[in-house]
Amino acid sequence: MNKINVIFIKYKFIFNKDIKHTSYTYQKVFRDIYGYTQNVTKNNNKVYKYFRKGVINNIPYIKPGKNSIILPIGFEQELIKYFNDENILSG
């Protein structure tokens, strides 16, 4: 069996006081990290699905629990870069 060197990351959200702590705020951050599928229904009742990529979308990962992730060593910088971005909730 091949071994893979990994890093365990546990994160905690601490928002500035000027940012509202709503469920949408948390949902936006999780969607930014993991990506999500958007379902759009047109007037003809046809449903279109669009996948929106997240920060770790192209990285193999394990989600062992709430607010934690296991990534292969060397890929953690993508997630760290995301959390260091001052404009996370700007759009």
Side-chain angles (χ1 to χ4, degrees):
M1 177 183 271
N2 294 335
K3 290 185 178 182
I4 299 173
N5 292 326
V6 298
I7 186 166
F8 176 80
I9 300 173
K10 179 86 173 161
Y11 51 88
K12 181 177 181 180
F13 299 122
I14 301 173
F15 296 112
N16 292 334
K17 292 180 181 179
D18 59 332
I19 297 174
K20 292 182 181 180
H21 296 252
T22 64
S23 59
Y24 174 75
T25 304
Y26 291 99
Q27 181 184 47
K28 180 178 180 345
V29 173
F30 282 107
R31 284 180 169 190
D32 285 349
I33 295 170
Y34 297 102
Y36 66 100
T37 301
Q38 178 184 12
N39 294 322
V40 177
T41 305
K42 297 292 185 174
N43 290 339
N44 61 1
N45 290 329
K46 190 165 183 180
V47 178
Y48 296 88
K49 293 186 178 192
Y50 301 97
F51 182 73
R52 308 296 183 199
K53 287 187 174 185
V55 173
I56 61 167
N57 193 135
N58 294 326
I59 302 170
Y61 68 89
I62 298 170
K63 190 171 188 282
K66 188 174 180 179
N67 295 348
S68 60
I69 189 166
I70 297 174
L71 299 172
I73 289 181
F75 290 96
E76 68 275 9
Q77 288 305 316
E78 291 297 317
L79 193 58
I80 292 169
K81 190 168 87 173
Y82 170 77
F83 281 114
N84 285 332
D85 185 359
E86 294 178 7
N87 298 313
I88 289 175
L89 298 173
S90 66

